Structures are given as structure tokens and as C-alpha cells.
Amino acid sequence: MKIVYLRDYPEYVDIVIDWIYNEFVIKEGKNKDKSRIKEFFSNTHSDNFPITYVAIEGKECLGTVSIFDNDLKPRQDLSPWLGALYVSEKHRGKGIAAKLIDKVLEKASEMRYTKVYLRTEHTADYYKKRNWSFVSDEVDIDGRKTEVYSYQVIDDRK
């Protein structure tokens, strides 16, 4: 398995769009136009946000994750954010999500960010086990309660 920039593998853009739309829009009961998601994933980069990675093996896309400026409008003071983490159902439990997260943390460190943030409504235990720190309870612009976590990638005390 290798983790690569989505922008270098455009053949996987449509599958990533479908995964994210189905998991984070349809399942969450949001009624959003798919075109915003398509625009986001069709315009990712390697050196500036948004950046999306995909895990691939052979010709199969196994999962994806992104790093971008903001994932929670009320918290514009926090950046960057890990988001859109998804692993194909048939490939879960193999450590792919952890490797995708590590890739984002590595990129954030390269870009000299001291922390990375994420929001979650359902998977806080997963992140707590991986040493993410609770930041705050928040409410998003749709009125949903969400928890914000951070991970320190560079020691900012130096």
C-alpha cells in the first residue's frame, strides 16, 4: 500500500467524492449539493490547502483523508484541520486510517504547523486512544454538537 496525493491520481477523484458525500452528507442527514464536494476534491494540491491523500494498493483505492484550513466555521481561530477521513468498508481494521492520519500529521509538521485539529461527532474514542487532546465542545453552523480535538505535531515551546 502507498499513500499518495489525490491530485496525482485523478482516476480516484470520483470514488473519493462518492465516499465523502455518502458518509458525511447523506448519513448525516444534510441536504447539500454534491457539486461543492466535487469542486473541493477536484482542486486539491500538494503544497497548499486543501491537500487530499489516498491510500492505494495496486489499482484499488482503499481510503482517503484531507488537511485544510477550516472544518468548523465558529472556530476560525484554529487551523489546519484533518477531515474527510474514510476507509473503504472492506479494508477497515487494517490500520489504514492510522497511516492516513500519520501522513497528514507529517505534512502539517513539514508546513511548520504546531497543531492539527479535527472535529468529531461519533469517533472521539478512536482519537483519544491515539493521543489527540480534547479542545472544546462546539456547535456547528447546522446546529449539531461536535467535539474538537488537537494533536501537537511540533513542540511550540522551543
Side-chain angles (χ1 to χ4, degrees):
M1 178 190 74
K2 60 184 177 179
I3 298 175
V4 295
Y5 294 111
L6 177 61
R7 67 163 292 171
D8 295 337
Y9 291 82
E11 63 269 31
Y12 299 120
V13 168
D14 288 337
I15 192 167
V16 168
I17 291 167
D18 287 344
W19 282 342
I20 301 308
Y21 184 74
N22 291 329
E23 187 69 20
F24 299 106
V25 177
I26 300 299
K27 277 189 180 177
E28 297 288 327
K30 296 178 187 174
N31 189 13
K32 291 194 177 176
D33 184 3
K34 198 174 190 179
S35 65
R36 281 187 60 216
I37 294 168
K38 185 172 184 146
E39 182 181 336
F40 178 92
F41 289 106
S42 297
N43 294 298
T44 63
H45 309 281
S46 58
D47 292 320
N48 58 315
F49 300 141
I51 298 168
T52 297
Y53 293 101
V54 288
I56 57 176
E57 191 166 65
K59 293 188 178 209
E60 186 176 8
C61 189
L62 312 176
T64 187
V65 70
S66 295
I67 182 173
F68 44 93
D69 287 323
N70 186 268
D71 195 24
L72 190 61
K73 297 278 187 241
R75 292 306 306 261
Q76 294 291 323
D77 58 315
L78 305 179
S79 187
W81 292 70
L82 178 148
L85 174 63
Y86 184 87
V87 175
S88 168
E89 288 186 23
K90 70 180 183 178
H91 293 289
R92 292 181 184 166
K94 300 177 182 177
I96 296 167
K99 290 178 181 165
L100 286 163
I101 291 168
D102 287 347
K103 194 68 167 177
V104 163
L105 297 175
E106 178 185 308
K107 185 64 171 185
S109 178
E110 251 178 56
M111 296 173 81
R112 305 301 299 160
Y113 285 98
T114 57
K115 291 183 180 180
V116 175
Y117 299 88
L118 64 80
R119 62 176 285 183
T120 182
E121 290 79 38
H122 312 292
T123 55
D125 288 342
Y126 177 84
Y127 295 103
K128 287 177 194 174
K129 288 178 190 172
R130 284 152 185 81
N131 298 315
W132 287 73
S133 300
F134 177 77
V135 173
S136 62
D137 287 314
E138 299 289 340
V139 176
D140 69 13
I141 60 172
D142 296 320
R144 284 181 308 161
K145 293 180 181 178
T146 189
E147 295 177 44
V148 175
Y149 287 82
S150 69
Y151 191 92
Q152 190 159 341
V153 292
I154 296 175
D155 187 347
D156 58 358
R157 294 171 290 176
K158 293 180 180 177

